[in-house]
């Protein structure tokens, strides 16, 4: 039932020359929870609208299970969309809203009634059949929108920031429910969000978009641990980025990040091309210890710095440090119960070369 | 609380007072006078001893001629409204949904331009088009499509054509406002769920624009049944409507009482419509569904 979507070299140029989407390519697999993640205005909604058939691409092709649907009108695509603002029919009751797609499919009344009842039960809205959308809370409206989309058993479900308007608690609950539902029905789901935590938590794969282009496609772990570009490293989570000349060190190569800061690169990427490189280092991959020479040396912590600020987050501690070379770095340590390093304290830092990720520009 | 809110109510009342007075003086007073006149035996200004009577209303009820005039007026109003709606709705939809600013400006100009010319001028323009030797009949004859000129004027058709032309802008402007406020994504949601564009229009846009349809129709109908110049010129006194009759009663027959009674009937028709409109709107936007 679920389908595969191929987006091949698709661009969208709006009247007036805005290049909203620029030659993107992605292959969304059957039954996959696929997220489009990126900052506001990067072309997520435009991409989704082209998949749904509301906008036609200026170039490229969209295929559904191998068949070219680039010019198939929206009402013949058999996809269901949950709109950013829900787009519930205000003059129809909850039950009528959910029944709409089934009525368009000329299904008999008795079957419609059964399916509507089941769909509303699934989103826990039983008993609200006769209300109008205006008489529902934001979260309930969102669930009606979801029920209206899934009740037609679409081949593809498209969601445009469907959880954007909800408070944190309801949002987490709905994230969980949506994921469960998608799994249970085996739906191919394209999910638009600008919330990286949401994307990481829910997706099978993520396409990170920036300014109309796809920066990287990968699983949440790949996106987080192996960001390919500076943009991805910076956009997903917190990160420290160092930039400098490639230099040959005692064992292999490294980066001279300036002011005497030398970073050893992992051995396996000796072939890294250009002369000037950027590397990313996640805050939680850095170890911090008091700058006691003996202790630090024994752990191989050769970089020195000073604590600038200490933020206790509960499960973790976030430090802002200034290295002796002048670089500012962010370090996150699990709360192990050890005493915190107060601001002003001199510390030693260490990390494994393998945790450095070389970025494309 | 009451101590602080009382002065505020007073100052609000003071602000409203001028317009309330104006309204009373120029709206309720004349209508009240008209209502009183319609049940008096004569004009109290020139006749000292007048009494109460229902003869003016009885005259209307007893003479089928007057009922015929009332019905003609309503019929012209209904046809004008229907035609204005059929012509105006697509135009309003186009205007509400057009993306380009220039396009919108041009459409607005096209709709508003006729209103910049006086009604008399426009009606005479229609006469040159519709008369037996007018543009339309000349063209049709020269193409050999007709042998005898079509009767386009001095009948209800002519009046309705003239009225529709004058009142379509009111319909378009009322509808554009309402259609423009309907979220386009609702139509897209309907199409996304499998409705063809036409079906999406019928299921979503049309019902949601019903308040505009009602308001525009009410406006056009009320204006059409009280129109005077167009029915006279394009009807050529062959067609009698309420406003023409009222004018005749005052200027030729000096029967102010009967004219007032006819005026009350015209007012009553409009009032009944407004009440029906409010009722319908309540049904449309209230708890009940539209199906
Ligand atoms: N109808 C339009 N005409 C012209 N430009 C448009 C139109 N719709 C969107 N754009 C532009 O295209 C770009 C991408 O817009 P899009 O709506 O796809 O962004 P988005 O990634 O969904 O952002 P958000 O997270 O804010 O919803 C933006 O720069 C936007 O201004
Ligand atoms: Mg968007």
């Amino acid at each position: 039932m679920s389908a595969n979507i191929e987006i091949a070299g698709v661009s969208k140029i709006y009247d007036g020359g805005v290049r909203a989407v620029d030659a993107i390519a992605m292959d969304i697999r059957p039954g996959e929870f696929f997220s489009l993640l990126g900052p506001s205005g990067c072309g997520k909604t435009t991409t989704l609208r082209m998949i749904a058939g509301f906008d036609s691409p200026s170039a490229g092709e969209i295929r559904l299970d191998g068949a070219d649907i680039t010019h198939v009108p929206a009402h013949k695509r058999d996809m269901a969309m949950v709109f950013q603002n829900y787009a519930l029919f205000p003059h129809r009751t909850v039950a009528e809203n959910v029944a709409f797609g089934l009525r368009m499919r000329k299904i008999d009344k008795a079957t419609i009634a059964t399916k509507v009842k089941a769909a509303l039960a699934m989103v826990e809205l039983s008993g609200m059949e006769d209300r109008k959308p205006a008489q529902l809370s934001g979260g309930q409206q969102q669930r009606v929108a979801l029920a209206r989309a899934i009740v037609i058993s679409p081949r593809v479900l498209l969601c445009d920031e469907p959880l954007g308007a909800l408070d944190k608690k309801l949002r987490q609950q709905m994230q969980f429910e949506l994921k469960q539902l998608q799994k249970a029905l085996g739906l191919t789901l394209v999910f638009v969000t600008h919330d990286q935590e949401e994307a990481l938590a829910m997706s099978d794969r993520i396409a990170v978009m920036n300014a109309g282009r796809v920066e990287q496609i990968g699983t949440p772990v790949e996106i987080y641990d192996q960001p390919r570009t500076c943009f991805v490293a910076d956009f997903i989570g917190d990160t420290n980025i160092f930039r400098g000349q490639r230099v040959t060190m005692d064992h292999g190569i490294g980066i001279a990040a300036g002011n005497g800061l030398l970073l050893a690169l992992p051995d396996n990427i000796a072939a890294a091309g250009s002369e000037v490189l950027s590397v990313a280092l996640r805050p939680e991959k850095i170890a911090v210890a008091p700058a006691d020479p003996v202790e630090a040396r024994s752990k191989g912590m050769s970089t020195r710095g000073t604590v600038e600020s200490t933020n206790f987050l509960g499960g973790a501690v976030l430090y802002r440090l200034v290295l002796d070379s002048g670089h500012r770095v962010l370090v996150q340590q699990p709360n192990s119960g050890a005493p915190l390093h107060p601001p002003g304290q001199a510390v030693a830092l260490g990390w494994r070369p393998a945790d450095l990720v070389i970025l494309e520009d | 609380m009451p101590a602080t809110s009382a002065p505020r109510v007073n100052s609000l009342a003071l602000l409203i007072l001028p317009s309330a007075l104006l309204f009373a003086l120029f709206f309720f007073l004349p209508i009240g006078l008209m209502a009183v006149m319609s049940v008096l035996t004569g004009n109290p200004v020139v006749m000292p001893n007048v009494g109460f009577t229902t003869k003016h209303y009885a005259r209307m009820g007893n003479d089928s001629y007057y009922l015929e005039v009332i019905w003609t007026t309503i019929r012209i109003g209904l046809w004008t409204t229907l035609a204005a709606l059929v012509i105006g709705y697509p135009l309003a939809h186009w205007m509400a949904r057009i993306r380009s600013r220039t396009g919108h400006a041009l459409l607005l100009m096209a709709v508003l331009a006729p209103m910049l010319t006086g009604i008399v001028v426009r009606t005479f323009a229609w006469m040159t088009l519709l008369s037996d030797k007018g543009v339309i009949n000349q063209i049709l004859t020269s193409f050999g499509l007709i042998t005898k000129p079509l009767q386009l004027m001095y009948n209800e058709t002519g009046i309705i054509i003239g009225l529709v032309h004058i009142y379509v802008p009111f319909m378009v402007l009322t509808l554009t406002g309402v259609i423009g406020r309907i979220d386009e994504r609702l139509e897209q949601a309907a199409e996304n769920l499998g409705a063809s564009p036409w079906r999406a229009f019928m299921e979503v846009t049309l019902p949601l624009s019903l308040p505009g349809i009602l308001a525009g129709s009410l406006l056009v109908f009320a204006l059409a049944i009280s129109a005077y110049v167009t029915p006279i010129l394009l009807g050529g006194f062959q067609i009698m409507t309420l406003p023409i009759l009222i004018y005749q009663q005052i200027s030729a027959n000096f029967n102010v009482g009967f004219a007032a009674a006819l005026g009350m009937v015209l007012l009553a028709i409009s009032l009944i419509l407004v009440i029906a409109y409010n009722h319908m709107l309540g049904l449309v936007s209230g708890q009940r569904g539209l199906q």
Side-chain angles (χ1 to χ4, degrees):
Chain A
M1 181 192 73
S2 59
N4 151 271
I5 306 169
E6 280 168 89
I7 298 174
V10 165
S11 296
K12 176 69 187 180
I13 301 164
Y14 281 112
D15 329 327
V18 183
R19 214 170 245 280
V21 168
D22 195 4
I24 58 168
M26 38 185 105
D27 186 357
I28 301 164
R29 297 167 194 152
E32 185 171 46
F33 196 120
F34 191 90
S35 290
L36 300 178
L37 174 65
S40 186
C42 70
K44 307 181 295 288
T45 298
T46 306
T47 306
L48 207 65
R49 288 174 57 81
M50 286 191 288
I51 299 176
F54 302 139
D55 284 330
S56 54
S58 313
E61 206 172 272
I62 297 174
R63 286 185 286 267
L64 185 66
D65 281 342
D68 182 2
I69 57 161
T70 318
H71 301 292
V72 173
H75 67 278
K76 292 187 178 149
R77 291 199 182 190
D78 203 10
M79 298 178 174
M81 177 144 163
V82 179
F83 286 72
Q84 201 159 1
N85 66 343
Y86 314 144
L88 297 177
F89 306 128
H91 57 304
R92 296 288 171 83
T93 63
V94 167
E96 287 166 351
N97 263 282
V98 177
F100 191 91
L102 297 170
R103 275 207 298 124
M104 294 306 118
R105 282 161 178 71
K106 302 203 170 56
I107 291 168
D108 67 278
K109 280 204 165 138
T111 317
I112 291 183
T114 327
K115 288 197 175 193
V116 168
K117 206 164 158 32
L120 285 175
M122 181 143 54
V123 295
E124 293 174 20
L125 281 178
S126 302
M128 306 229 176
E129 285 83 355
D130 296 326
R131 293 214 200 166
K132 289 280 175 65
Q135 297 166 313
L136 299 176
S137 74
Q140 291 166 338
Q141 290 183 23
Q142 195 264 317
R143 283 182 278 168
V144 175
L146 203 57
R148 184 177 71 173
I150 55 177
V151 77
I152 60 174
S153 317
R155 305 177 69 185
V156 176
L157 182 60
L158 308 171
C159 294
D160 194 354
E161 306 202 29
L163 313 179
L166 308 184
D167 63 63
K168 191 167 176 192
K169 193 146 185 200
L170 188 55
R171 192 184 170 97
Q172 280 171 345
Q173 185 196 333
M174 289 306 304
Q175 285 177 354
F176 176 75
E177 285 176 15
L178 184 59
K179 181 82 191 171
Q180 292 290 101
L181 208 67
Q182 182 260 340
K183 277 250 175 67
L185 303 178
L187 279 175
T188 304
L189 199 160
V190 186
F191 187 86
V192 164
T193 179
H194 60 248
D195 180 339
Q196 38 135 333
E197 280 177 28
E198 188 167 273
L200 291 174
M202 299 177 75
S203 317
D204 293 320
R205 282 193 308 152
I206 301 172
V208 183
M209 293 182 68
N210 179 33
R213 292 175 168 277
V214 174
E215 295 264 337
Q216 184 172 1
I217 298 179
T219 63
V221 174
E222 283 166 359
I223 295 280
Y224 188 84
D225 282 344
Q226 258 96 50
R228 250 187 38 213
T229 64
C230 285
F231 175 84
V232 176
D234 197 41
F235 189 74
I236 313 285
D238 292 319
T239 198
N240 299 298
I241 295 180
F242 300 97
R243 192 173 165 77
Q245 281 284 314
R246 185 165 68 159
V247 290
T248 311
M249 292 170 58
D250 299 348
H251 335 275
I253 60 164
I255 290 183
N259 279 335
L261 178 65
L262 274 180
L263 305 163
L265 290 180
D267 307 332
N268 54 344
I269 46 169
S274 67
E275 282 305 302
V276 180
L277 296 174
S278 297
V279 293
L281 180 60
R282 293 290 181 192
E284 68 276 10
K285 305 270 163 81
I286 304 176
V288 193
D292 168 1
V294 181
E295 193 185 333
R297 182 127 336 125
S298 70
K299 288 185 185 167
M301 298 165 95
S302 53
T303 312
R304 297 303 166 92
T306 313
V307 176
E308 203 175 41
S309 72
T310 307
N311 289 75
F312 181 66
L313 304 178
V317 189
L318 189 69
Y319 296 104
R320 270 165 227 282
L321 308 177
V322 188
L323 303 185
D324 289 353
S325 57
H327 296 83
R328 283 171 192 282
V329 295
L330 214 53
V331 176
Q332 187 172 325
Q333 301 272 284
N335 175 10
S336 59
L340 306 186
H341 307 294
Q345 189 178 54
V347 289
L349 295 81
W351 56 83
R352 296 184 307 145
D355 289 331
L356 289 175
V357 181
I358 297 195
L359 305 172
E360 294 167 17
D361 288 309
Chain B
M1 268 316 191
T4 54
S5 66
R8 272 181 57 197
V9 169
N10 282 343
S11 62
L12 203 66
L14 273 178
L15 279 176
I16 293 174
L17 198 64
S19 68
L21 275 177
L22 211 70
F23 213 65
L25 198 63
F26 291 104
F27 193 74
F28 285 114
L29 192 65
I31 288 177
L33 280 178
M34 188 167 84
V36 171
M37 295 287 284
S38 72
V39 290
L40 291 182
T41 49
N43 189 342
V45 181
V46 290
M47 292 206 334
N49 36 12
V50 292
F52 173 82
T53 177
T54 54
K55 69 171 184 187
H56 300 310
Y57 292 100
R59 182 176 165 194
M60 260 184 270
N62 293 335
D63 193 336
S64 67
Y65 172 73
Y66 297 115
L67 294 179
E68 186 58 41
V69 170
I70 293 172
W71 173 232
T72 306
T73 312
I74 294 178
R75 192 170 54 224
I76 290 176
L78 286 177
W79 280 114
T80 305
T81 308
L82 189 68
L85 184 62
V86 169
I87 296 170
Y89 197 101
L91 207 57
H93 193 272
W94 190 15
M95 240 169 99
R97 291 279 184 256
I98 194 164
R99 289 264 160 73
S100 108
R101 275 171 177 274
T102 6
H104 186 267
L106 285 176
L107 277 175
L108 193 65
M109 280 285 291
V111 170
L112 290 183
M115 296 176 81
L116 301 177
T117 336
I119 289 181
V120 180
V121 177
R122 279 191 279 166
T123 308
F124 272 115
W126 273 113
M127 291 171 78
T128 65
L129 288 174
L130 299 176
S131 70
D132 284 0
K133 292 200 159 45
V135 176
I136 293 174
N137 275 318
Q138 295 274 356
I139 289 176
L140 291 179
T141 317
S142 68
F143 277 106
L145 292 170
I146 51 170
T147 48
K148 229 169 45 173
L150 293 176
Q151 182 72 25
L152 296 172
M153 240 173 72
Y154 304 131
N155 57 15
E156 281 180 33
T157 316
I159 296 177
I160 291 167
I161 291 174
L163 288 177
V164 167
H165 176 232
I166 293 168
Y167 294 130
V168 151
F170 294 86
M171 184 67 93
V172 172
L173 293 181
T174 313
L175 282 172
T176 306
V178 175
I179 298 174
R181 259 177 280 128
I182 301 174
D183 191 340
E184 244 178 306
R185 281 172 294 192
L186 292 178
E187 290 162 47
Q188 290 171 347
E191 283 179 43
N192 178 248
L193 292 166
S196 63
W198 171 249
R199 192 80 195 267
F201 170 78
M202 294 301 287
E203 296 268 355
V204 177
T205 319
L206 192 62
L208 287 176
S209 56
L210 218 51
I213 294 177
L214 287 177
S217 301
L218 188 67
L219 191 63
V220 170
F221 184 82
L223 290 169
I225 60 170
S226 51
Y228 176 71
V229 174
T230 310
I232 281 200
L233 294 178
L234 285 171
F237 291 102
Q238 307 293 307
I239 307 293
M240 189 55 79
T241 65
L242 266 179
I244 301 176
L245 189 60
I246 292 172
Y247 185 73
Q248 275 188 353
Q249 289 301 318
I250 294 175
S251 63
N253 300 5
F254 305 107
N255 193 344
V256 181
F258 187 51
L262 290 170
M264 290 310 289
V265 169
L266 199 57
L267 186 69
I269 297 173
S270 299
L271 267 181
I272 289 170
L273 276 166
V274 171
I275 292 165
Y277 164 76
N278 270 329
H279 188 67
M280 294 262 282
L281 212 59
L283 286 187
V284 168
S285 57
Q287 303 297 316
R288 290 189 41 191
L290 271 173
Q291 303 202 311

